[in-house]
Amino acid sequence: MDTRDYRNKLISTATHLFAERGLHGVSVRELSKAAGVSISMISYYFDGKEGLYSSVLEEQFSCFDYIDVIMGKESEPIEKIEDYIRWSIRRHREKPHLLRFYTSELTNPTRYFARIVQPAIEKVILILIEIIEEGMHRKQLRKGLNPEDTALAMVGMVNYYFLSTLATQKFVNHSPERDEELIKHYMDIFTKGISEHSDVTY
Amino acid sequence: MDTRDYRNKLISTATHLFAERGLHGVSVRELSKAAGVSISMISYYFDGKEGLYSSVLEEQFSCFDYIDVIMGKESEPIEKIEDYIRWSIRRHREKPHLLRFYTSELTNPTRYFARIVQPAIEKVILILIEIIEEGMHRKQLRKGLNPEDTALAMVGMVNYYFLSTLATQKFVNHSPERDEELIKHYMDIFTKGISEHSDVTY
DNA sequence: CTACAAATAACGAACGTTTGAATCAAAGTA
DNA sequence: TACTTTGATTCAAACGTTCGTTATTTGTAG
């Protein structure tokens, strides 16, 4: 190693360790030893352990770039949704360890995940609202659901898929060949309306 | 409080705290303070913090009693399966915090959960094998899946439902009215054969 | 020499555990 | 009945360890 990029070493090591055992399950001593870097580098490059954790979440889960790509396209709103779902599935297949953060964060009272990923989710919601306002979900609107709630429920459905994948990954082999099936399934849920599949409550 | 049952206090307090934040997310000092009990009681009644955690899992997730009831019934194997699924759904609705342990344990390298719940699962597998051997899953057997693998996959599918419930509990209201729907769905998967719905891999 | 990168060693705080004394009800004893 | 003994609980205090952080020192490139 000529390049002394200890920061990257810490990020990549932390990504896998935090994904496996969560924030509290890894100590800075073990982490730095695994990365082959001195302990003090964590506070040097990041704002301590939690800063490193936040950085991992930011770098690994950021979808701003692709959301910008989607928003910039001259495509129909419904195509943007399919685009996003397709991209999400591909990305999670390429980085399967990301899924583990969902479960860690589900029981994390500090909600780093929510704080960091929330802005990205809000962008997705904006796209969804676009479609909803085009009248595709008039039925939900009639039922008293506002667009924000309906859109948030849709984001929830997508995350639900990811978590389901994690839960069954020991038993079920999700092959890329079945992606189209899944995409169709979720697009179906979306276009037919969430309320037909489940009750949205807040 | 006349009854000095500090042990029960610790168990019930630990159940909710561990469910919320996991083993590493709770300290013995906080736990004992919440329970209104001295710290040393944890080591007195249990084998330390991890012993308390194990006891919580054992007491909360034990299904031996009901498995025994099912095994003792003079019912058809297929009825036993439905019986078990029905009972599981009811129990998880009554104790929703149990679901949170699934996510905690998914990323827990120590695998307390697997070690403790495994014996119970193996009993369930026995029941499933009963049915499989009666020829309901000849198709899977022809495909080279042994009964144990198929049964284990079935248990995975049931747990998958529970985790799905947790993942979507913010968005979806699972009403008891829809239980029959869910039970029918899983019985359907089971009788039609798992291989039609997913690929079993180990 | 200067400025930055990196390692060492030490810090106070918090961790889980253990100790030893205090408390109390029940059993034993004269 | 009055006193002692016993065993089970309970707690405050302290234990040694590990935590995350940081002050200081060392190494290195320009």
Side-chain angles (χ1 to χ4, degrees):
Chain A
M1 285 285 169
D2 280 315
T3 58
R4 297 183 182 177
D5 204 353
Y6 284 12
R7 191 184 183 280
N8 285 345
K9 269 189 184 177
L10 284 171
I11 282 279
S12 64
T13 306
T15 299
H16 288 90
L17 284 180
F18 283 145
E20 258 183 46
R21 311 213 288 272
L23 174 63
H24 297 295
V26 192
S27 74
V28 286
R29 280 177 174 77
E30 180 191 6
L31 203 155
S32 60
K33 179 170 278 185
V37 168
S38 182
I39 304 175
S40 48
M41 293 296 94
I42 293 171
S43 288
Y44 183 75
Y45 283 116
F46 308 94
D47 193 15
K49 186 194 187 184
E50 301 205 357
L52 172 57
Y53 188 77
S54 293
S55 296
V56 165
L57 287 186
E58 270 179 45
E59 298 199 13
Q60 296 291 322
F61 284 93
S62 174
C63 54
F64 280 123
D65 289 349
Y66 196 74
I67 291 290
D68 285 343
V69 169
I70 292 176
M71 293 294 275
K73 277 186 185 173
E74 285 289 332
S75 58
E76 293 295 312
I78 190 73
E79 289 171 341
K80 288 179 178 176
I81 297 296
E82 189 174 327
D83 211 350
Y84 175 72
I85 292 174
R86 194 178 297 275
W87 172 79
S88 292
I89 291 175
R90 194 180 336 112
R91 191 172 67 122
H92 280 79
R93 173 163 296 110
E94 285 166 3
K95 301 181 176 183
H97 60 271
L98 294 190
L99 284 168
R100 296 200 166 274
F101 278 101
Y102 286 101
T103 55
S104 291
E105 286 294 322
L106 268 178
T107 53
N108 185 350
T110 327
R111 307 226 168 274
Y112 293 95
F113 194 79
R115 291 209 310 264
I116 290 162
V117 182
Q118 194 64 34
I121 289 180
E122 277 167 7
K123 275 203 173 185
V124 178
I125 290 176
L126 280 178
I127 304 173
L128 292 162
I129 288 175
E130 241 185 272
I131 299 168
I132 290 163
E133 285 179 343
E134 282 189 18
M136 297 189 68
H137 274 181
R138 287 202 190 97
K139 200 164 57 184
Q140 275 88 333
L141 292 170
R142 274 202 303 272
K143 285 185 178 178
L145 292 172
N146 62 43
E148 286 84 0
D149 284 349
T150 313
L152 190 55
M154 177 58 203
V155 174
M157 292 301 287
V158 175
N159 287 342
Y160 155 82
Y161 155 71
F162 291 134
L163 198 58
S164 303
T165 308
L166 175 64
T168 54
Q169 69 182 358
K170 284 176 193 163
F171 305 97
V172 180
N173 192 16
H174 285 281
S175 63
E177 286 77 30
R178 293 179 59 226
D179 276 2
E180 291 306 319
E181 219 174 292
L182 277 163
I183 291 162
K184 190 178 174 310
H185 174 64
Y186 281 101
M187 290 306 291
D188 229 41
I189 290 176
F190 187 70
T191 52
K192 280 186 184 169
I194 296 152
S195 66
E196 284 181 7
H197 291 77
S198 61
D199 302 322
V200 182
T201 56
Y202 291 96
Chain B
M1 285 287 168
D2 281 314
T3 59
R4 298 183 183 176
D5 204 353
Y6 285 10
R7 191 184 183 281
N8 285 344
K9 272 189 182 177
L10 282 172
I11 282 280
S12 65
T13 307
T15 299
H16 288 91
L17 284 180
F18 283 144
E20 258 182 47
R21 310 214 289 272
L23 174 63
H24 297 295
V26 192
S27 74
V28 286
R29 280 178 175 76
E30 180 190 6
L31 203 156
S32 59
K33 179 170 280 185
V37 169
S38 180
I39 304 176
S40 45
M41 293 296 93
I42 292 170
S43 288
Y44 180 76
Y45 284 116
F46 309 94
D47 193 14
K49 187 192 187 186
E50 303 206 356
L52 173 57
Y53 187 77
S54 293
S55 296
V56 166
L57 287 186
E58 268 178 48
E59 299 201 10
Q60 295 292 321
F61 284 93
S62 173
C63 53
F64 281 122
D65 289 349
Y66 196 73
I67 291 291
D68 286 341
V69 169
I70 292 176
M71 294 294 274
K73 277 185 184 173
E74 284 290 331
S75 59
E76 292 296 311
I78 191 73
E79 288 172 340
K80 290 179 178 176
I81 296 297
E82 188 173 328
D83 211 350
Y84 175 71
I85 292 174
R86 195 179 297 275
W87 173 78
S88 292
I89 291 174
R90 193 180 338 110
R91 192 174 66 125
H92 280 79
R93 174 164 295 111
E94 283 166 4
K95 301 181 176 184
H97 59 272
L98 295 190
L99 284 168
R100 296 200 165 273
F101 279 100
Y102 287 101
T103 56
S104 291
E105 286 295 321
L106 269 178
T107 54
N108 185 350
T110 326
R111 308 224 169 277
Y112 293 95
F113 194 80
R115 291 208 310 263
I116 291 162
V117 182
Q118 194 64 34
I121 288 180
E122 277 167 8
K123 276 204 172 184
V124 178
I125 289 176
L126 281 178
I127 304 173
L128 292 161
I129 287 175
E130 242 185 272
I131 299 169
I132 290 164
E133 286 181 342
E134 283 190 17
M136 297 189 68
H137 274 182
R138 289 202 190 94
K139 200 164 60 184
Q140 274 90 334
L141 292 170
R142 274 202 302 273
K143 286 185 178 179
L145 291 172
N146 62 42
E148 287 83 1
D149 284 350
T150 313
L152 190 56
M154 177 59 201
V155 174
M157 293 300 288
V158 174
N159 286 343
Y160 155 82
Y161 155 70
F162 292 134
L163 198 58
S164 302
T165 309
L166 174 64
T168 56
Q169 69 181 358
K170 284 176 193 165
F171 306 98
V172 179
N173 192 15
H174 285 281
S175 63
E177 287 77 29
R178 293 178 60 224
D179 275 2
E180 291 306 318
E181 219 175 293
L182 278 164
I183 291 162
K184 191 180 175 307
H185 173 64
Y186 281 100
M187 290 306 292
D188 228 42
I189 290 176
F190 186 70
T191 51
K192 281 186 184 169
I194 297 150
S195 65
E196 284 181 7
H197 290 78
S198 61
D199 303 322
V200 181
T201 57
Y202 291 98

